[in-house]
Each structure stands twice: as C-alpha cells, then as structure tokens.
Amino acid sequence: MTGLKRLLADRAAAIGAGLIAALVLVAILAPVLAPFPGDVSEFHLTERLLPPDATHLFGTDRMGSDLFSRILFGARITIAIAVIAVGVSVAIGVPIGLVAGYYGGWSGGLLMRASDIFLAVPQIVLAIAIAQTLGPSVENVILALSATYWPFWARLVYAETRAMKGQVFIEAAQALGASDFRVMVLHILPNIASAIIVRTSIGMGATILTAAALGFLGLGAPPPTPEWGRTISEAREFLPEAWWYAAAPGFAIFLVVMGFNLLGDGLRDILDPKIRRGAK
Amino acid sequence: MRRIEIILSRLLWLIPTLVGLVVVVFFIANVVPTDPARIIAGENATTEQVEALRAELGFDRPLWEQLGIYVRDLATGNMGRSLYTQRPIADDLAHRLPATLELTFAAIIIAIGLGIPLGVVSAVKRNSLTDQVLRVLSVSGLAIASFWLAMELQMLFSTRWGLTPLNGRISGFGPDEITGFFVLDSLLTWDMESLGGALLHLLLPAVTLALPAAATILRFTRAGVLEVINSNFVLYETAMGLPRGLIIWKYVLRNALISTVTQIGLIFGVLFSGAVVVEAVFDWPGLGTYAVQSILQSDNKAILGFTILVGVVFIVVNLIVDILHTFIDPRTLK
Amino acid sequence: MTDALLTISDLSLGFRGEAGFAHILDGVNLTMRPGEIMGLVGESGCGKTTLARAILGVLPRAALELRGGAIGFRGTDMLADGAAQAAIRGRRITFIPQDPFSSLNPVFTIGEQIDDLMKWKSPRRGEGGRWPALLAPYGRSRRAADRAAVIETLEAVQLPQPERLLRKYPHEVSGGQRQRLMIAMALLPEPDLIIADEPTTALDVTIQAQILGLLRRLASERGVAVMLTTHDLGSAWEICDAITVMYAGQDVEAAPVTEFFRAPAHPYTNKLLASLPDAEGGGAMTGIPGEVPDFLAPPPGCRFAPRCERASAACATRPAQTPRGPGHLVRCVHPVAAPVHAEAEA
C-alpha cells in the first residue's frame, strides 16, 4: 500500500494515474456519457461541421456526427489496441528474454539476434508493412503492433536476467535443487518485475502513438469506426475552417499518452531509483 | 588498433542482421496469399493474361524460391518495379533518400541544438521553476502525435498566416542537383534563391520532427548531467577554482553526452518513425510519402524495398554511433 | 598572531536535511603559519573533510547552514567575500583530493586538464582584464612558460616521461602516479597553502609513505603550507610540524608535533595515542569505549564527555582554548597532568 501512497505523492505520477483512470472510466461508460451514442455509426448531413457549442461540445464532423460522442467511443478502441498489443508483446517478449537470458549460450544468442532484426527498423515501418499486407482493421493493427513490439521486452528481460543470474540468491536456489522453471518464475521474475512494469507503462504510450499513426495512414479500422488517428486524417481536408475537428482527437491522444508517460516516470522513480535515465 | 576491431566486428554483424531482415520482411509481405498478378494485370485482364503475367513475374513458384530470386536480385541492386511509378523501386528509393535524409538531419540538428543546452540547464537548476517547466515540456513533446502536430502547425503557419510554404521541398525548379540535398546543392551552386526556398520549406517539417527527439535528448542529457555533477572530479575541478561555466559545459557535458550518444540510434528511430507520417502531411517527396503511396497501392514490393532500405540506413547509423562512442569515451578502447 | 596564514575562529556550521540539522562543526578554532605543515587528525566522520571543504568553499550550498565564525586567509574574510574567495581558490589555496582515481576527469587527457588549470590558475596569469572570463585569451609566451613549469613540476614529483604522460587518459595511469600528478597540479599555481584531504588512503600501503615524503619535501622546498587531514597519527608524526586533533566536529588539542607526542593533555588525545597500535589502516579507534555522538543531537559542551572517564558536570560547557606550553593549546576542564609516556615507563 505504501507503494501506491508514494506514487500518488509524486505529483506527476498522480496526474498520470488520474489521466489513465479517466480514460478507463470514459471507455467503460462511453454509452452512458455520450450525448449521442448513436453517432458512432449514424450521420446527420444537415448538421455537418458545426463548431463546438452546448449541444455538441467538440463540434460535429463531416458526416454531422457528434465529435464528443465519437471521441468517447474512440477511447474504447485505443484501450483495446494498447492493452492487447502490449499484453501480447509482454507475453511473447518476457518468456523469450527470460529463457535466452537464463540459458545463454548460442540458442540464447540466436533468440536475441532474432529480436535485433526486429529492432533494426523503426517499429512503425515494420508495423506499416504488416498492417498493409493484412488489410485495414483493428485486429490487424493489434497484430502488427504485437509482432513489432515484443523485442523491446525480450531485450529488457534478457539483460535483467543475465544481470540477475550471477546473484548469490539465484545460485543458492539452484544449489538447493530448484528446477530451472522454478528459479526463473519464482526467483528471477519477481526481481525484474519492476523494470518490466516501468517499460510497459511507457510502452503503452508509444503503442498508442503508433496505432494512431497507422490509423492516420488509413491502415487502422475502416470508417465509420471512431478511431482517433483516422478522425484526424478525416479532418485534414476541412482545415483550417473546422479547427475543432482535428483538435479534439489530437488532444485526446496527447492526454492519454502523457498519462502513461508520467505514470511510467513515476513508477521508475519509485520502483527503481537506480535507473534514473531518460526515456527508455 | 582497438577502434578498427570494434568497427570490423560491427560490420560483420551487419550481414546476418540484414539477411535476417530481408527474410522476415519478405515473409511478412507474403503472409496473406494476395494475388499481385491480378492487381498488376488490371481488372479487365482475362484469366490467361493473368496466368501469363504470374509466370512472367515468378509468382507461380514456391515462396522460398521467390525469396531466393528476390535475394539474388537484391544483391545486384534490383528490387523490382513499382506499381505506382512504374519505375525500378531501387531508383525510386535512391531518388527519394536524400530528401528524407535532409529532413532528418535538419531535425536532428534542431533537436540537438535544443535538447542538449536545455537538458544541461534543467539539470544544473534542478527542481527550480525552469527545471519544472522544461520537464513538463519534454514529457509533452514525447506525448504529441507528430502527424497531428504537423497538421496543426501547417494550419497555423501556412494556411492561416501564410508564413511558410504549405508543402513540398521547394517552389520552382530548385538548385541543380549534385547531391540531392537541396540545401547543400544550393550552397554548392551558390543559388541563394533556392537556398532560401529550401530552408523555408524545411522549417515546419523539421521542427515538427525535431520536437519529440529534442524531448528525448533533453531527458537523457539531464539525467546524464545529474549523474556526473556530484562526482569527485567535479568537486576537484571546483575546489581548484576552475570557472563554473567551463566545468559544466566542457567537463560535465562531455561525460553526460556519453549516455546521450549511445542513444542516438534510438533518437534516430524516433525521427525516422516521425518522418513517415510528417512527410505524408507536408507532401515531402521522401521515403515516407513513397511508403504511404505504396500502401495505398498495395504495392508489396515497394514496401519491402522501403523497409529494407530503412533497415540498412538504421544499421549504418548505429555503426556510426558505435564509432563515435569510441572517440567520445576513451575508456571503451581499454 | 599577526603572521598567521590561515585563521579559523569559532567556525560553526552544519547541514539541514530531512532528519533535521546536523551540527557538524562546533566552534572550531585553528591557526596555521606560512610554510607550516599541519596535520588535522581525527577519526573518520570527525568533521575534518568538512572543515577542509569549508576553507575551499565547496560545501554543498543547498543544505549548508552557517551558524557563525570566520575563516581568515591573509586578511581576507573567506566567508564574507565570495569574489575574493573565488580568486584565492585554486590560486593561493590548492587541493589534493582523497581519491586520485575518480578525481581526474575520465574523458579528457591529463594534458588537457592541466592545460585548463594553467590557463586559469597559472601564477603568470594577469588579473582580470577586459575580456569576459571564458573568452580570455591565453597568450603564446605565457603558454610556453606555463608548459615549461608543467614539465618541471611533473619531473619534480618524479613522474617519468612527462611529455608522454600528458597525452594519456587518467585510466591509463596507476594510482600512485595519479596522486603524484595531483600533487604536481596542487603545486603548479604556486599557492601559499595546499589542502590535502587524506591524500593516501586510496593508495597501496607500500606507496603511502613515498607520496607523503614527496609532499613534505616539495612543500618545504617551495615554502608552501600544507593542511593534511588524516586519521593516521603515524603519518602525521612523520611529516607534520604541528598537529590539531578534532573530535566530533570540535577542535580538542593543538600542539607542535614533538610537544604533542611528549605531553598530550586532552583525554581524547591520550586515548588516541594509547590505541595507536590497534588503529592500523582502519578509521575507527577501537580502543575507546562508547560511540561517536550523533550530529543531529550532540551532547552540550565537550562532545567527548560521554566517553570520558574524567568528565564532570563542568564539561557541559565547552572550555576555552587554554595554553599548556609554547604553541600548545588544549580545550579541557580536566586535562591529563604530566607526560603519560614518562609515567608509563616509570
């Protein structure tokens, strides 16, 4: 419990946690909070491109749909993409890094070389290639992101595991006859968990940005899905007159990514005072 | 010498990494059994025409054989033909690479020019108001979607205020091409009009691209300075009465930069990722727009070529960083 | 004391932190004459490094709290006049650090670091001028003269092949050589006073004596005063002219070296001398029962009183410095009467 208290005592981290809590809440309550829940798919051509007012807090889009409602529903897509893509990346990357780091040798080296190949290109480039081949859909964005992000966790866990292996308590556990699996899961994993958690929080922010970029490039969910990145690309042709059209989803992305980054920084300070480095 | 050893070992690693990259990307591009022959032949082609084209392009062979052919062609610099421009992909990429590199270099110069001094100031005035503001700005810089920032800046500076060109690399013909870098070419040919135009066109895209990178550099520099500012050599230099400015900007900064330099590869990645979308917004005729257009055309081979080229550029950048590291930190040569 | 080089009077300071105010230096008095080699002796954590850094003006400003007192150097009030202190630092007073391994900047050649030192602190440097500090020119003739002085001094500290050494990085040089280098760098500005903060603790025992001998010889030859902080009475005995003993941030006794070892008057000094054989290498004086007091809540008056078998109620007020002989001052209500050694032998 003290961990949570210290987290909230750190102003930046508390703001981050608050932003993320707000995002989750908004995603869950979208049907209740949205003034026009139907506008995810409905359109009202007579109300196209209305500026923000009391009825349409964020204005309306090119189809006359309420932007506020669409942004709220967009939060669901954002969360789904980030949570699943990062979850899959962790599920692939952590075991690979753990096994490669624990056993080392040429097979461990080979696994790491494989992850190096994925890291040889900026993530968005590979994700573009994959999402392009598979066709535009939310599922494919998730697949593309998972396939390109796992090496980050593999690298991190590999390095941490190798550093951990020489520790006395690990050698003691091995000497006492614990199985390799047991040593990895019960002795190493808990000790490197904080590094994984920090990386995951910051990874969420990066994943959301990449997903939005894919949506912007037309590789995400097809219309009328209220995905934030796609909404921004739709707004392009109506600028600068319909300034609100791009402003709302842009700020939404900014706040959510900011939330994860601030939380990640705060967690880093609390969980691992040693690594006070910049953005990892 | 030790430095040459390091360079050679990195160069040796380059080969398997590249081969691996080609294989991975090739299979990614072919996971879904699309029928490129039909797309190329057009909608009105007969089944016989499509079959003939398929045989001609080698799409009827097994995937591993296609890979072999692709790798063999790649070794001779042949990446196939673009569906979009109808020209060899390798030529397209070579033609567009300077535009992207020019943009990226401009951005990295801006990012370093902002990030390092502000990072030092932030660390030296730790916990002051200045530091707090800079930290908020740097976290924000990392959270902004660059395509969105690009659009907003474009809307304000170009469309609304007319201060900067809307898009493109140059108005008119531009300088005589020597290197393909417009700024460099206009300097070489002493074409001041083109130079002004090229710089003005560069301004917004480069600034957009630079912001997240500047934020990253600021964070690393700040952390680096904080790590060394309490070290014994700073105490010694202070006790020997050396001027504070000399200690901070020379002795501390060089040490702090070691960690920043090792992260330039990562920073370059931030820049390159941004370039893909920022180019698309500013219609910058570089690799990014080419990739986006290829996406719209479902042109697998062009995307494959683009990905591999970016991989090569990336590996070379990391090699340069490793070499730079041996100069900036003599202890690596021990 | 008109001929004093350094006069510290009633210096009181400490650091404010989360736990409260740590009162490190409590009314410290100390005087050094020009050319004198003075040993500042005490257990580790007795405040001698803090005192050394206070003289150099390099205590961490954020937490520092000055409670009173003065540091006078040749008539300059070092605590009041920041500009004067900055001019003196590195020029009239130089520094030899405790750890030669980490005190040189790892990413610059030794030559470049000495170059910068000479550019700013060479005795041939004119005062100020119209140039903003960092842009000031470094004239060719002065550079040549400085260069000659550097080579001469590196030879004087017995560093072989000085020209080659200047092109090396610190990590390419052994610890002993690095400490010779630090001595050379301390001598180069031709200062009046060198503050050497435990200059040999980080070194091999075998070369400690060499380094101290070298420091002693060069300081006497060049008429430079040295303040040597150490926990090792043995080395103080070998090279110092005078000794000041500190306990828990208070000066307890000061005397010329022979007088000090012949007739130590303060009970703490006596315990220190008695425990000498046990104190090899380590910083703790194992022979004295009890613990060093907590700086956050130190005992009033004499801070040694809680561990002192002679202590009485009067010790709750700190006694003034009382003369015991020529140059021999002690702060004790119940000083040890006669020479202990003589009694013990009898």
Side-chain angles (χ1 to χ4, degrees), chain A residues 9-217:
Chain A
D10 183 280
R11 203 172 353 142
I15 295 173
L19 285 170
I20 295 163
L23 171 80
V24 173
L25 219 61
V26 158
I28 294 170
L29 299 177
V32 186
L33 293 173
F36 303 96
D39 279 11
V40 173
S41 50
E42 291 165 18
F43 49 90
H44 318 276
L45 290 178
T46 48
E47 294 177 11
R48 296 181 74 221
L49 302 173
L50 293 177
D53 61 21
T55 338
H56 301 289
L57 282 177
F58 293 170
T60 64
D61 68 4
R62 58 177 181 165
M63 306 302 267
S65 310
D66 179 49
L67 270 171
F68 181 62
S69 307
R70 289 179 64 82
I71 298 284
L72 294 188
F73 278 95
R76 298 186 145 192
I77 303 173
T78 301
I79 283 203
I81 293 178
V83 169
I84 301 176
V86 171
V88 172
S89 301
V90 171
I92 300 173
V94 171
I96 288 185
L98 205 52
V99 169
Y102 187 79
Y103 292 107
W106 69 267
S107 55
L110 202 67
L111 279 172
M112 282 306 107
R113 286 298 142 197
S115 75
D116 276 356
I117 291 169
F118 282 84
L119 292 172
V121 181
Q123 267 25 72
I124 194 168
V125 171
L126 266 190
I128 285 174
I130 297 173
Q132 198 283 129
T133 323
L134 300 178
S137 78
V138 172
E139 293 79 13
N140 290 344
V141 166
I142 292 174
L143 205 68
L145 292 174
S146 316
T148 48
Y149 272 102
W150 67 266
F152 283 101
W153 281 271
R155 269 259 153 243
L156 174 80
V157 171
Y158 175 77
E160 297 274 327
T161 305
R162 289 209 68 87
M164 200 59 69
K165 247 196 101 178
Q167 305 269 325
V168 178
F169 71 95
I170 298 296
E171 283 174 2
Q174 288 167 329
L176 287 172
S179 69
D180 288 347
F181 180 78
R182 209 181 149 79
V183 172
M184 278 189 269
V185 173
L186 291 182
H187 297 276
I188 296 180
L189 202 55
N191 280 293
I192 61 176
S194 55
I196 298 174
I197 291 169
V198 170
R199 184 73 193 76
T200 300
S201 180
I202 291 168
M204 293 284 270
T207 308
I208 290 170
L209 278 181
T210 312
L214 290 178
F216 177 77
L217 294 175

Side-chain angles (χ1 to χ4, degrees), chain C residues 288-344:
Chain C
I288 308 174
E291 282 174 15
V292 180
D294 182 4
F295 283 111
L296 290 167
C302 178
R303 287 181 175 182
F304 185 63
R307 291 170 85 180
C308 182
E309 56 222 18
R310 297 168 159 258
S312 68
C315 297
T317 318
R318 189 155 180 237
Q321 284 186 315
T322 318
R324 290 274 294 182
H328 188 171
L329 297 165
V330 64
R331 283 194 195 249
C332 188
V333 186
H334 312 288
V336 178
V340 220
H341 293 306
E343 276 179 4

Side-chain angles (χ1 to χ4, degrees), chain C residues 227-293:
Chain C
M227 177 188 280
L228 174 83
T229 75
T230 180
H231 60 262
D232 177 13
L233 270 174
S235 45
W237 158 255
E238 275 167 38
I239 74 159
C240 294
D241 302 324
I243 288 174
T244 298
V245 177
M246 281 185 77
Y247 177 80
Q250 296 177 328
D251 60 300
V252 297
E253 184 164 9
V257 70
T258 41
E259 171 82 358
F260 179 86
F261 283 96
R262 193 187 60 80
H266 198 282
Y268 174 65
T269 313
N270 280 281
K271 297 266 185 193
L272 208 54
L273 285 167
S275 69
L276 203 52
D278 305 335
E280 276 177 351
M285 309 287 166
T286 44
I288 308 174
E291 282 174 15
V292 180

